[in-house]
């Protein structure tokens, strides 16, 4: 299960374009987020003609960045997640997410 909210999806029945709007500076995580949206939309729509972009508002001119299709990489990540769920093994990876994790007060790995 992948949960997220696509800001905009333009679909003409053949090709689809996902647009995610951001404020501020470019972050690699933004591209990955949109790549996951592209991956999920391609599966829901049942076709490969899905592209993505990140639009950074607040710039003059507006900055539009195309997102590289990472479907093979995301397939691999999802397969690894599926295997971990089946095995019940979840290796801790402390990082930025620890700061907002609901379990940070009891997790021995929390930063």
């Amino acid at each position: 299960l992948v949960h997220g909210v696509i800001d905009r999806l333009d679909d003409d029945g053949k090709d689809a374009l996902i647009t995610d709007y951001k404020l501020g500076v470019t972050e690699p995580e933004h591209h990955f987020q949109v790549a996951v949206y592209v991956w999920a939309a391609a599966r829901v729509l049942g076709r490969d003609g899905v592209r993505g972009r990140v639009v950074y508002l607040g710039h003059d001119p507006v900055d539009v960045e195309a997102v590289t299709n990472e479907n093979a990489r995301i397939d691999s990540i999802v397969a690894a997640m599926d295997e971990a769920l089946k095995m019940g093994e979840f290796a801790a990876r402390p990082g930025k997410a620890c700061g907002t994790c609901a379990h940070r007060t009891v997790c021995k790995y929390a930063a």
Side-chain angles (χ1 to χ4, degrees):
L1 176 64
V2 174
H3 176 78
V5 177
I6 295 172
D7 290 341
R8 181 177 176 142
L9 171 63
D10 295 292
D11 182 7
D12 66 6
K14 180 181 174 221
D15 296 314
L17 174 63
I18 291 174
T19 303
D20 199 59
Y21 298 100
K22 300 289 186 190
L23 292 171
V25 298
T26 302
E27 296 286 344
E29 294 85 8
H30 298 161
H31 281 246
F32 182 73
Q33 174 187 358
V34 176
V36 171
Y37 290 163
V38 167
W39 173 87
R43 274 133 194 85
V44 170
L45 297 172
R47 58 188 189 290
D48 292 326
V50 181
R51 298 174 295 119
R53 66 182 178 179
V54 182
V55 175
Y56 290 95
L57 304 173
H59 297 262
D60 188 20
V62 171
D63 183 19
V64 180
E65 297 181 2
V67 173
T68 303
N69 178 318
E70 296 190 53
N71 288 349
R73 177 178 172 224
I74 296 167
D75 278 337
S76 176
I77 292 169
V78 170
M81 289 169 55
D82 185 48
E83 187 62 27
L85 286 169
K86 287 178 186 172
M87 302 297 289
E89 297 177 12
F90 306 97
R93 287 192 177 163
K96 288 193 289 185
C98 292
T100 58
C101 178
H103 307 286
R104 68 185 174 275
T105 59
V106 294
C107 177
K108 66 180 181 180
Y109 300 107

